[in-house]
């Protein structure tokens, strides 16, 4: 074993090679955007109805694309084409808005990134459970969901976490473009399968179910909370601003990175919006106001069992890749902070190169694997903690809604708008300034309202689960 000491630098200059294109960036975007949220779209549209549901989906899409275009211009400072590179979202905020905004941005970005990891862990385990449940139902001829047909999700969350421990040892986002391509392919796979299953269900009864106002409940208060939770789910489905700068940092130039990123955002959001509208509306037409919270795991489909299994396996594979897209910025920030805090510690700055005696293409051939103790320890602790939290809060719709509500306004709207105003020096009181602030304020109200609905649903689920825990 050979030992070398290197200085960890997550924010190095232009020394790393960027070979990303508009298509690799689009792959990263689709991998980040099309995830857990797509499985809840039928339920989401059911809460909003045939009129408001599609309009809200289109509205979120337009706002997200517009603000992502503003954010893409902030990758370089002060000029979007020739300026100095900002490698991370928080660096762009520091350049354009000053240090006072950095703390708020850091909290919003990294809490949202980490919350997304929790949501992905819950969703992946839910799909793993669905595979076992569907096969169990098939063997038992459609028997009730008791006994072995309703397994616990904790074991599957641990399995998913172990996969992430292995993938987390990849150096950075630049090294996992292939993983995003696989994730995009599988996202198309389960989206098409879900769409096909919903279309078949719709065709089986032939009528368009649902109402203009959405699902009705006995108490108006419950209806209001469901609508707010639905808004949070849609916000979660469109949020990718917290990794936009990191994705843009993979692009080669020329052409200018901001132009390429705007095209990638247009293609990525355009494809996902089409999927969202098709799946959400088809699922609502098929199930009406009884649409399940998760279209693939909510007791909606059991046959053909092999097709439902393939769809859920695609969900799992997709989330394995998307998890890393959101996790890599957290890893980089943690390791950078620790390395800056203790710059002379050998354990932190050392990299060990282990020589493996394969593949044996020649008698002297060996493979060298780099092992960094800091990376191994920090990433393992973070993934273990994330898995533990997911095990304690396994509530699919509520967790997705809360993550989307907390991250949408500050990351997707407020900071991009504020940096745009600072970059173009738009004066307070101008027409453009008022329009931008009005958009930001409306999005703030939506985020606050969705947060209230999500927290209420989590509290309700915890209270409902308490008697079962006490009786056990």
């Amino acid at each position: 074993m050979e030992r070398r000491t290197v200085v960890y630098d997550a924010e190095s200059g232009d020394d790393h090679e960027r070979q990303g294109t508009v298509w690799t960036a689009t792959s990263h975007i689709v991998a980040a955007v099309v995830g857990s949220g797509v499985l809840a779209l039928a339920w989401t549209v059911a809460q909003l109805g045939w009129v408001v549901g599609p309009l809200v989906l289109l509205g979120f899409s337009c706002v997200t694309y517009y603000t992502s275009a503003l954010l893409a211009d902030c990758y370089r400072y002060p000029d979007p084409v020739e300026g100095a590179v900002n490698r991370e979202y928080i660096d762009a905020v520091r350049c354009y808005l000053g240090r006072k905004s950095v703390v708020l941005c850091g909290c919003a970005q990294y809490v949202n990134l980490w919350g997304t990891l929790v949501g992905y862990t819950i969703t992946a385990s839910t799909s793993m459970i669905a595979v076992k449940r569907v096969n169990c139902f098939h063997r038992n001829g459609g028997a009730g969901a008791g006994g072995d047909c309703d397994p616990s999700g904790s074991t599957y969350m641990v399995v998913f976490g172990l996969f992430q421990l292995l993938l987390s040892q990849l150096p950075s986002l630049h090294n996992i473009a292939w993983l995003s391509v696989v994730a995009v392919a599988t996202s198309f796979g389960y989206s098409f399968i879900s769409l096909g299953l919903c279309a078949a269900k719709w065709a089986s009864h032939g009528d368009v179910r649902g109402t203009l106002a959405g699902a009705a409940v006995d108490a108006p208060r419950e209806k209001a909370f469901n609508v707010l939770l639905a808004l949070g789910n849609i916000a979660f489905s469109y949020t990718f601003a917290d990794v936009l700068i990191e994705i843009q940092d993979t692009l080669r130039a020329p052409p200018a990175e901001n132009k390429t990123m705007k095209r990638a955002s247009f293609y990525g959001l355009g494809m996902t919006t089409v999927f969202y509208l098709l799946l959400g509306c088809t699922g609502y037409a098929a199930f009406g106001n009884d649409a399940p919270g998760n279209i693939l795991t909510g007791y909606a489909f059991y046959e053909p069992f092999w097709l439902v299994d393939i769809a859920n396996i695609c969900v799992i594979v997709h989330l394995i890749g998307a998890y890393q897209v959101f996790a890599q910025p957290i890893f980089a920030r943690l390791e950078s902070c620790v390395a800056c805090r203790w710059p002379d510690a050998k354990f932190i700055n050392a990299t060990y190169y282990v020589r493996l005696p394969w593949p044996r293409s020649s008698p002297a051939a060996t493979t060298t694997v780099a092992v960094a103790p800091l990376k191994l320890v920090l990433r393992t602790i973070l993934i273990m903690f994330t898995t533990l939290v997911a095990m304690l809060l396994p509530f699919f719709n509520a967790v997705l809604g809360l993550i989307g509500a907390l991250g949408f306004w500050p990351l997707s709207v407020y900071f991009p708008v504020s940096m745009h105003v600072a970059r173009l020096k738009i004066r307070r009181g101008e027409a453009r300034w008022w329009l931008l602030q009005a958009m930001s304020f409306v999005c703030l109200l939506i985020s606050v309202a969705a947060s209230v609905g999500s927290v209420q649903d989590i509290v309700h689920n915890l209270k409902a689960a308490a008697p079962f825990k006490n009786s056990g």
Side-chain angles (χ1 to χ4, degrees):
M1 183 172 67
E2 177 185 0
R3 179 183 180 279
R4 302 178 193 173
T5 300
V6 297
V7 177
Y8 180 84
D9 186 7
E11 299 175 329
S12 57
D14 282 338
D15 54 347
H16 73 274
E17 186 178 8
R18 301 196 203 101
Q19 293 298 325
T21 65
V22 63
W23 299 114
T24 62
T26 301
S27 298
H28 284 311
I29 292 170
V30 175
V33 176
V34 180
S36 311
V38 74
L39 303 175
L41 285 175
W43 180 88
T44 298
V45 176
Q47 308 313 306
L48 301 174
W50 277 116
V51 177
V52 178
L55 289 177
V56 170
L57 283 170
L58 287 172
F60 270 89
S61 176
C62 293
V63 170
T64 303
Y65 171 69
Y66 177 70
T67 56
S68 66
L70 301 183
L71 186 57
D73 287 332
C74 299
Y75 172 64
R76 291 181 178 270
Y77 175 84
D79 183 79
V81 177
E82 301 294 339
V85 169
N86 293 307
R87 300 233 173 270
E88 299 178 0
Y89 193 118
I90 199 168
D91 296 330
V93 171
R94 181 182 293 109
C95 288
Y96 283 98
L97 302 179
R99 293 187 175 274
K100 292 183 179 179
S101 299
V102 169
V103 175
L104 177 60
C105 174
C107 292
Q109 182 185 12
Y110 291 103
V111 168
N112 186 71
L113 285 170
W114 175 76
T116 302
L117 302 186
V118 175
Y120 282 179
T121 303
I122 295 171
T123 309
S125 68
T126 304
S127 291
M128 292 178 189
I129 293 171
V131 172
K132 183 173 182 178
R133 181 190 294 134
V134 167
N135 285 276
C136 181
F137 272 52
H138 178 73
R139 288 194 306 270
N140 297 337
D148 293 337
C149 289
D150 227 4
S152 170
S154 299
T155 301
Y156 296 104
M157 290 185 187
V158 172
V159 171
F160 184 76
L162 291 176
F163 270 105
Q164 298 304 331
L165 283 177
L166 295 175
L167 291 174
S168 67
Q169 298 309 306
L170 294 172
S172 68
L173 196 61
H174 307 282
N175 301 87
I176 60 173
W178 62 271
L179 194 59
S180 286
V181 172
V182 173
V184 170
T186 53
S187 71
F188 276 104
Y190 71 73
S191 295
F192 275 118
I193 292 173
S194 300
L195 180 61
L197 290 171
C198 289
K201 176 75 173 180
W202 181 12
S204 67
H205 55 69
D207 58 325
V208 178
R209 297 181 177 177
T211 60
L212 295 180
V217 294
D218 296 334
R221 179 174 178 270
E222 183 180 352
K223 170 67 175 179
F225 281 126
N226 285 344
V227 169
L228 298 181
L229 182 57
L231 292 176
N233 284 340
I234 296 177
F236 176 82
S237 300
Y238 277 109
T239 299
F240 78 102
D242 41 5
V243 293
L244 186 147
I245 294 292
E246 285 80 358
I247 293 173
Q248 192 167 348
D249 193 43
T250 68
L251 298 176
R252 65 187 178 205
E257 300 93 345
N258 63 330
K259 293 182 179 179
T260 303
M261 195 63 198
K262 290 175 184 178
R263 288 178 58 200
S265 298
F266 180 79
Y267 296 151
L269 290 172
M271 287 189 288
T272 55
T273 301
V274 170
F275 271 120
Y276 287 175
L277 287 171
L278 284 175
L279 185 55
C281 294
T282 304
Y284 188 36
F287 292 96
N289 294 334
D290 296 324
N294 186 321
I295 200 67
L296 290 177
T297 64
Y299 297 95
F301 300 107
Y302 296 109
E303 297 292 344
F305 77 98
W306 57 270
L307 187 61
V308 179
D309 283 349
I310 291 174
N312 278 299
I313 291 171
C314 285
V315 172
I316 297 165
V317 174
H318 171 250
L319 294 181
I320 287 174
Y323 188 105
Q324 289 298 316
V325 172
F326 283 88
Q328 290 291 335
I330 303 178
F331 296 154
R333 176 57 59 181
L334 284 175
E335 292 159 16
S336 175
C337 290
V338 173
C340 292
R341 178 65 178 83
W342 294 283
D344 299 324
K346 291 183 179 180
F347 176 82
I348 292 173
N349 297 304
T351 298
Y352 296 89
Y353 293 85
V354 181
R355 291 178 178 175
L356 303 178
W358 64 78
R360 291 187 175 275
S361 57
S362 65
T366 59
T367 301
T368 302
V369 177
V371 178
L374 172 65
K375 181 171 69 174
L376 182 63
V377 172
L378 279 182
R379 298 185 181 196
T380 299
I381 292 174
L382 177 65
I383 292 174
M384 289 176 61
F385 179 67
T386 301
T387 305
L388 177 62
V389 173
M391 293 167 64
L392 296 174
L393 296 173
F395 310 125
F396 178 76
N397 293 89
V399 171
L400 296 192
L402 182 60
I403 296 168
L406 293 177
F408 178 72
W409 176 73
L411 299 173
S412 296
V413 181
Y414 173 73
F415 284 115
V417 167
S418 298
M419 288 190 285
H420 177 70
V421 170
R423 186 176 67 83
L424 297 184
K425 297 180 173 58
I426 300 175
R427 289 179 296 181
R428 180 187 296 268
E430 291 185 13
R432 283 187 300 173
W433 186 89
W434 281 113
L435 290 174
L436 290 170
Q437 299 306 318
M439 181 186 69
S440 179
F441 181 71
V442 170
C443 292
L444 171 61
L445 293 180
I446 293 174
S447 291
V448 172
S451 298
V452 172
S454 301
V455 170
Q456 189 276 339
D457 196 59
I458 290 175
V459 172
H460 173 75
N461 287 328
L462 288 173
K463 289 181 178 179
F468 296 100
K469 293 181 179 178
N470 294 334
S471 64

